[in-house]
Each structure stands twice: as structure tokens, then as C-alpha cells.
Amino acid sequence: MKMNNGIEAYRVLVIDDHPIVCEGLRGLIAQKENTLCVGVSDKKSLEASFAGRFDLYITDLEFPDVDMGKLVIRLRNHAPRCSILVYTMHDEPWVAAKLSDWDIDGAVSKNSDINELHLAIAALREGRRYFDRALAPCRSLSPFAVPDFSRREKEVLDCLARGMNTAEIADSLFISPNTVKTHRRHLMEKFDAKNVAQLIAKWKRWSL
């Protein structure tokens, strides 16, 4: 699609399940020269977007009823020459590890200054990659591979790292103490830790 000046438009699709965030990003990005931006915030609209192709896909890490890892693969197959940028509020170490395995061109934390997003879009538009320092893939720095976590396991791990006991975690996350113990056991198995102290030590050693 060409703009009024006859120049081919740079087409951007924003994928975020929060309509306000989606519309805000769409407005910011559409201000860029020779750029068309569309936003989708529900699964039906996301599916409909596959009727077209975009030069850049900006996606959150979470979207209702959608496996985002599989979505990235689908986007790659649908538009092989596109750029994919992850824009997420999650900048924990295990997120950086996960992203290092994905076929994406960049990642920016929503906790960073908005200028990071502008820099990322400019870089990807020029065919370069761009990773916010908070999300730069760094698995190679780790003395062991960090396993995948469920969202609840991540929450329990964060609570453990803050020194909370089983009862405190249960109250904080509105789950039973037995459920906390189950998640803790799974975390210890995944980290190959003999106790909670070793679990937290391994996690902190990796996150540094």
C-alpha cells in the first residue's frame, strides 16, 4: 500500500490484549513518516489480520488463548521477511532466556523509556536487530540452562526470593499452602536444587 506521496508504506501491526495500550502505540507509531499502523486486541481481530501482511509485528508476551511462541512461528511462516519485536512488561531473567530461543528481531521492556521502543522500530526498519538491555538474550552467560516456568511458578519463585514463607506466599497469591509446596517442589526439581536456599542461590547467580 502506498501513501499519498506515492511512497510504499511501512506497515506495522501491534498485538496487545489491552485496548488502551494497543491504541496508544498505534497512535505513536502512525506518526512516523510513511508508516501505517493497525492494532489488534482480541483473538478474532488477530486471526483476521492474517488476511494481510505487515513489515513489522509488535507483540506482547501474553494474549488470551494464544500460545505466543507458536504465534511467532506462525508470523514467520506467514510473512518470512517481516520483523518481529516483543514489547513486554516482563523483563525477568527467565524471559530473556526464553526470548533467546525465539526467532525474533528485537525485544523492549515496557518498563524502559518509550525512546527504547522508538530506537527499536528504527533499527528493525533498517534491517538491524535491537534488544533492550533489560531483555538482551544472555543465556550464554548462564552456568546452566534456565528451564521454562509457568506463570504461577514464577510468582512463587519471586516470593521465595523475597524471603516469604509458605503461609505468606499462600496468602499473597490466594492459593493453598499445599499448592505452594507443590510449586516449590517443581521449582527445585527444575533447578536441580536440594533445598530452597540452593534454589534461590542458583536463581540469583543466573540472574546476575
Side-chain angles (χ1 to χ4, degrees):
M1 181 180 294
K2 293 186 177 181
M3 306 292 287
N4 292 334
N5 57 12
I7 297 176
E8 191 70 24
Y10 185 69
R11 297 158 299 175
V12 181
L13 179 69
V14 175
I15 304 170
D16 195 298
D17 66 326
H18 295 89
I20 294 178
V21 174
C22 197
E23 182 61 23
L25 289 177
R26 192 203 63 75
L28 283 174
I29 296 168
Q31 294 175 11
K32 295 182 179 297
E33 187 176 6
N34 300 321
T35 301
L36 290 177
C37 186
V38 178
V40 294
S41 56
D42 60 81
K43 191 173 182 181
K44 183 178 180 180
S45 298
L46 176 59
E47 288 298 324
S49 72
F50 279 91
R53 282 185 171 82
F54 295 84
D55 301 296
L56 171 62
Y57 293 87
I58 300 177
T59 179
D60 198 350
L61 267 183
E62 298 177 340
F63 202 88
D65 303 318
V66 175
D67 183 317
M68 301 309 285
K70 291 181 179 178
L71 176 63
V72 168
I73 295 173
R74 187 179 176 189
L75 291 175
R76 276 282 177 241
N77 292 333
H78 175 68
R81 296 183 179 180
C82 74
S83 295
I84 300 175
L85 174 69
V86 170
Y87 190 48
T88 176
M89 66 178 290
H90 298 290
D91 53 13
E92 300 90 347
W94 51 76
V95 173
K98 176 190 290 187
L99 294 181
S100 70
D101 287 336
W102 287 15
D103 186 11
I104 60 175
D105 302 284
V108 173
S109 170
K110 289 181 178 178
N111 298 313
S112 297
D113 187 271
I114 192 65
N115 190 53
E116 285 287 341
L117 180 61
H118 291 306
L119 290 172
I121 294 173
L124 271 59
R125 192 165 185 168
E126 295 173 359
R128 296 181 287 114
R129 304 178 80 206
Y130 189 97
F131 287 88
D132 185 340
R133 184 174 181 179
L135 285 169
C138 55
R139 179 176 295 210
S140 60
L141 300 177
S142 173
F144 58 93
V146 176
D148 289 330
F149 297 91
S150 68
R151 183 186 301 180
R152 183 63 81 187
E153 285 174 337
K154 293 175 184 177
E155 292 172 343
V156 171
L157 179 55
D158 182 61
C159 289
L160 289 170
R162 287 184 285 164
M164 298 172 65
N165 60 35
T166 299
E168 290 171 334
I169 296 174
D171 288 341
S172 176
L173 301 181
F174 302 102
I175 56 180
S176 72
N178 284 337
T179 299
V180 174
K181 292 177 182 178
T182 297
H183 286 313
R184 185 176 61 200
R185 184 177 71 253
H186 289 166
L187 287 166
M188 290 171 62
E189 291 172 353
K190 290 181 177 182
F191 269 98
D192 191 24
K194 296 180 180 180
N195 50 51
V196 173
Q198 191 176 82
L199 168 65
I200 300 305
K202 283 191 172 185
W203 175 74
K204 287 186 175 181
R205 177 158 50 94
W206 185 86
S207 64
L208 293 174

